[in-house]
Amino acid sequence: MSMNKKEIAIEFKNVKHGYGEKTILNDLNFKIDQGEFLTIVGPSGGGKSTLLRLLLGEEIPTQGKIKFFGKEITEPTKDFGIVYQNYSVFPNLTVLKNVAFGLNLENDKFGYKYFKSSKYIKNSKQIIKNAKEYLEKVNLLEAADKFPYQLSGGMEQRVAIVQALIMKPKILLLDEPFSALDPWTREQLQIFLMELYQKEKTTVIFVTHDLEEAVYLGTRVLVLSPHNLVKDVIGSKIIYDAKIKEPYPRLSEFKTSLSLNKILADIRKFAFV
Amino acid sequence: MKVKKIFWQSNNDINRKSALFNSLILFILLIICYVVISDLRHISNPQDKIFPSLQQIEQGVKNSLTLNEAGVISLLADTSSSLMRFFIGIILATAVGVFLGIGLGVFPFLESLFSRFILYFDKVPPLALLPIIFIFSGLGEPTKILLIVIGVSPSITLDIYLRVKAFPKEQIIKAITLGANKYKIITKVILPQISPAIINIVRLNLINVWLFLIAAESIAASEGLGYRIFLVRRYLAMDIIIPYVLWIAFLSFFIDGVLAKWAKYQYPWYNK
């Protein structure tokens, strides 16, 4: 097995971040291994989105360092794929063009869309084929020519996930991707994401405010919370960090299982004080 | 059970046919009123020029459509030169607006350099600038187009700038993670998504383009719809002025309609 020696994908070293006087995140020290499915959970306004912006390089921490495979993160790059809750796909492009967006950008370099170099044409055909393969994987091939407004919320999020995955990012970030979905669709997509994770073997960082979802999906759960035992520390800290040993595929029965509920109870003891 | 419909309730839908018919009512009423007033005035004064009869207007239109002493069909010549100015003006003004609006929205330096400047000059009534422009650049064609551009581009610029400012940051970050650089973000993400909005902004500004066009033509031109109206005004030739005004309104209405249809066809996803 090649997974014996796991590389460290992300390392937070004494990270503190805030705006002006206000500290949002404090004392963050943790590593994320390659291949992990890390869920970050916490209350609204608890700094989850800020943490995500730091990961993406949209913002640089006021103190400390965040490293990506040993290199400091300084700006958003193609190393990450991102799926948001809203604005997750481009509304003006069809499903196929959404999925092919990143590859088409690359192809533009060989470019000269208007001169139609033979390399460009060959690549374009390959891209369409590739995008269709990905769409087929997630059962969206019939929707290839539809616009996002013609899709259901769940389909739209699947498109967004595939759109990111096709670029083979080193890390897939998901920011509350299922929070706006109804419980049925949500459960379908949770299972869909876990299957995709098993197939693609990417590192996943999944941000949510739903404790159950976090434990259900992840191989590891981080709880980020401003509710501290140590009262004099301002800003959110990591108050719980544990591996979830349950093997995949995790069926929806796992949600109601004793082991999951034990973990939830354990987290609640720490989180809600 | 039959639902009782009250006229202001949203369930009281009107089908397309009766909607079209309803919108004709006011037009027909207007024409009837006009004819009645015109007839009454002609009974008391057969020489009345203020409310020419329909026959007189028809004659005026015919005159405008026949070769005049200068050897041109005045309505056609006026329309073509006005439309030429109109389209060159609106295209240039839109181009300026798109470039500046996106530039200001995307690059903080340009924003700090231009935004207050444009905001200030947006407040200057362009008609007040008219004499200055005429003095600086003469009475030729460029002046008329310049007036349109100066008059319309600030508001187009500001509108587009605000659109770009309100653009969801998530989309931009997403595009970057998919490999877009700044140039691609503008051309592949922002511009395609605000294009339908740009068309709407242009539509809202059509009336201003006409305003400045007619103002410019009324002062310095030898043909053009605005020129003709102000020329024949001296002879109280309402039989020419009325059809010209209706014709301008029709042209504007038509251009607006084409833009609206085109936007709907080209951008089916917009406002969905």
Side-chain angles (χ1 to χ4, degrees), chain B residues 20-38 51 54:
Chain B
L20 278 175
F21 176 77
N22 287 354
S23 52
L24 280 178
I25 292 175
L26 289 180
F27 285 100
I28 293 166
L29 271 182
L30 182 68
I31 292 171
I32 292 173
C33 283
Y34 180 87
V35 170
V36 170
I37 294 173
S38 163
F51 280 79
L54 290 186

Side-chain angles (χ1 to χ4, degrees), chain A residues 32-45:
Chain A
I32 305 170
D33 289 334
Q34 204 178 3
E36 257 185 320
F37 190 137
L38 179 78
T39 51
I40 298 175
V41 64
S44 302

